[in-house]
Amino acid sequence: MAACAALPSSIVEYFEGEDFYRCGYCKNESGSRSNGMWAHSMTVQDYQDLVDRGWRRSGKYVYKPVMNQTCCPQYTIRCRSLQFQPSKSQKKVLKKMLKFLAKGEVSKGHCEDEPMEPILEDAVASDVALINKLDVQCDLKMLGDTLKESLEREEKKKGKPAKKEDSKELIQSQEKEELGSGEPSRSVEVRSVPQPGKGADLSKPPCRKAKEIRKERKRLKLMQQNPAGEPTGVQAQRGPKTEPHQPRSLEDLIFESLPENASHKLEVRLVPVSWEDAEFTSSFSQSLSLYVKYQVAVHRDPPEECGKTEFTGFLCTSPLEPENPPNGPDCGYGSFHQQYWLDGKIIAVGVIDILPCCVSSVYLYYDPDYAFLSLGVYSALREIAFTRQLHEKVPQLSYYYMGFYIHSCPKMRYKGHYRPSDLLCPETYVWVPIEQCLPSLENSKYCRFNQDPDAVDEGRSKDPDRLRVFHKKAIVPYGVYRRQQQDPGEEAAVRQYASLVGQACAERMLLFRS
């Protein structure tokens, strides 16, 4: 047996059985089920391994949903930050922030905190816009010189430039004439939308094959480069090849330079969750006031249920032991508050854990008066950029963990908008791209994402007797402890604990037994 002086950092107290409680998503009074343990202390590596097995912390309480029984299965989700490219809607949020900082502009549009459309819809919208543009350009080109002459004649008659409506009428009349010739029409005429079952909607462009669009795009590009109809091809003189347009990086969009006379100043500070840290303690009162304001306004919590005690236990207490290895990030590993200071006051706080392989998002609270800045989206993008920054020093730290993805709750699907991302298989604990998981989730709330029927949990508990127990100020292997206690009921609980945390954590962490 080892003395308590040799205690490692991770000491946990497992609660036998499953908790049944009210679900915060579907409001089922007893539908949510999970296993849990109190972490008196925990190393960052142990917690990294636990989140990779579906665990998550709330203060010092670490819990794991019983996935095949809970009413709203919660799948651990991570974003591959190095490959991340912001979507159209996410770029709008970054531009909105820059406009506010630079000129004080306040968006009058939709100010929901989370993006309302997924990335897939952004991609489809972009494609449709491109196709529509190409269709119009193609139609005008195909009408040729005859249409140009008609437009010129019309302008001379009216003595002013032709309006869009005039152009549309001419196109319509030209197309109607062509219809009589037996040639297929490429009309851009806007007609009334037909009743259901009465035929195609002619107000929309005709469907075209992708190959056709590519050919047309290439033809238009050549025509723009060679408007005089000069020869093209190998024999033609070609200019130097231009580099294809590169999309702006996330960092370019976030850290775009502001004018010297900018209306506002935003500063993001990383503060360790520690009562020994001067910055943490000096900003505690302001941070607490912001938390209460957020909980009351956004989550409709009664003020007496979100006071100092609740705030401290939930977001200012962490089991993670700070670590500062020489090959780690400059800020070290552990729990932090990422504070967003606008003109000298805190308007948002992102609570995060920095672990060996990831930045794990714990919670965000913000000033509801600044909801128009979409701070939920903005902070997530800043945390992804921060993950990439840490990766430069620590190569294995490359993922951004967003907590749980809950497909059965539409409000919680927004986490799937940060692509590319993966979901954790609840049976084999391997990561599977979210695109492969979504079809299964449409059919069933609970899914095994790993399609290999023979695959098993490689990190499962294989030898529970090697689990370490902390009992009466001494550390003993569970095999020894079991023979001493001879309690079948307790044995079932310990074996359940070992199966949930896996062999590696079971051998490293100390299971406290009274």
Side-chain angles (χ1 to χ4, degrees), residues 80 120 416 419-423 432-440:
R80 282 171 260 149
L120 286 176
R419 304 281 182 93
S421 56
D422 308 303
L423 297 183
V432 180
I434 192 170
E435 295 86 354
Q436 296 178 26
C437 304
L438 294 180
S440 300

Side-chain angles (χ1 to χ4, degrees), residues 474-487:
I475 302 169
V476 296
Y478 175 66
V480 175
Y481 172 82
R482 177 171 53 83
R483 287 191 292 272
Q484 292 173 349
Q485 299 299 313
Q486 296 184 347
D487 183 349

Side-chain angles (χ1 to χ4, degrees), residues 171-184:
I171 295 168
Q172 290 171 4
S173 62
Q174 174 94 13
E175 293 296 339
K176 286 174 182 174
E177 288 174 12
E178 289 184 358
L179 283 172
S181 67
E183 294 295 325

Side-chain angles (χ1 to χ4, degrees), residues 150 362 372 413:
S150 300
V362 178
F372 63 89
R413 294 184 185 182

Side-chain angles (χ1 to χ4, degrees), residues 279-347:
E279 209 168 351
F280 178 79
T281 53
S282 65
S283 61
F284 177 80
S285 179
Q286 190 179 162
S287 191
L288 168 61
S289 299
L290 179 62
Y291 170 78
V292 174
K293 183 178 182 180
Y294 170 80
Q295 292 296 129
V296 171
V298 177
H299 292 290
R300 304 288 188 265
D301 286 356
E304 62 272 14
E305 292 182 9
C306 53
K308 182 178 179 180
T309 302
E310 290 77 16
F311 174 62
T312 303
F314 178 33
L315 299 174
C316 300
T317 305
S318 170
L320 301 185
E321 297 292 333
E323 296 180 25
N324 289 276
N327 59 345
D330 294 335
C331 58
Y333 297 112
S335 299
F336 298 83
H337 282 190
Q338 204 162 37
Q339 301 174 340
Y340 294 77
W341 290 76
L342 180 69
D343 302 331
K345 76 168 186 175
I346 303 176
I347 64 164

Side-chain angles (χ1 to χ4, degrees), residues 404-456:
F404 290 136
Y405 173 82
I406 307 168
H407 193 77
S408 57
C409 179
K411 284 185 179 179
M412 296 300 293
R413 294 184 185 182
Y414 71 88
K415 295 182 182 182
H417 301 175
Y418 299 84
R419 304 281 182 93
S421 56
D422 308 303
L423 297 183
L424 187 68
C425 176
E427 295 182 10
T428 61
Y429 302 112
V430 296
W431 293 98
V432 180
I434 192 170
E435 295 86 354
Q436 296 178 26
C437 304
L438 294 180
S440 300
L441 288 172
E442 286 295 323
N443 296 322
S444 173
K445 288 196 294 186
Y446 173 75
C447 298
R448 171 193 166 108
F449 299 136
N450 192 331
Q451 297 301 308
D452 181 358
D454 299 323
V456 296

